[in-house]
Amino acid sequence: MQRYISTPNGGGIIRPNGDFRLDCMAPFVIGNVLEAPLKDIWIQKGVNAWQDPRVTAFVASIDQKEQKGSIQNHLMRDIRL
C-alpha cells in the first residue's frame, strides 16, 4: 500500500451496494455511486484519497512482517472519508 500513497490514485472498487472503496485491503469508502456520479466522487475525494491523514496513518500501522506478503481483504468496519 505504500506505493499507492506515493503515486496518484489510479482506481478503486465499486461494491454491489454502490460504495466506492479505495482498495479491497483498506477500509476506506470515498462515496457511493448510487448517491452521486462516479466522476464527482472521483474529483472530490478519489484523486487524493491515499494522501488523507486517516489513510496514511492506517498504512503506517500495518506490520509488514506480520503480513508476510500475503494480501488479505480488509474485513473490519468501513471508514467513510
Side-chain angles (χ1 to χ4, degrees):
M1 283 194 220
Q2 286 288 343
R3 73 173 184 255
Y4 296 137
I5 291 174
S6 63
T7 60
N9 193 9
I13 295 170
I14 299 175
R15 292 179 165 161
N17 69 354
D19 280 350
F20 190 130
R21 193 166 168 179
L22 284 183
D23 191 88
C24 66
M25 299 175 293
F28 303 101
V29 174
I30 59 173
N32 187 295
V33 298
L34 301 177
E35 299 169 1
L38 178 57
K39 180 180 178 181
D40 293 348
I41 295 169
W42 188 257
I43 291 170
Q44 292 172 8
K45 295 186 180 178
V47 174
N48 297 311
W50 284 97
Q51 286 73 43
D52 184 289
R54 294 167 286 183
V55 177
T56 57
F58 172 80
V59 173
S61 75
I62 296 171
D63 182 345
Q64 293 191 18
K65 288 182 182 177
E66 187 177 305
Q67 289 286 323
K68 299 177 187 165
S70 176
I71 298 172
Q72 298 177 357
N73 192 2
H74 188 79
L75 300 174
M76 296 170 64
R77 175 180 281 192
D78 288 339
I79 298 169
R80 296 201 175 269
L81 299 180

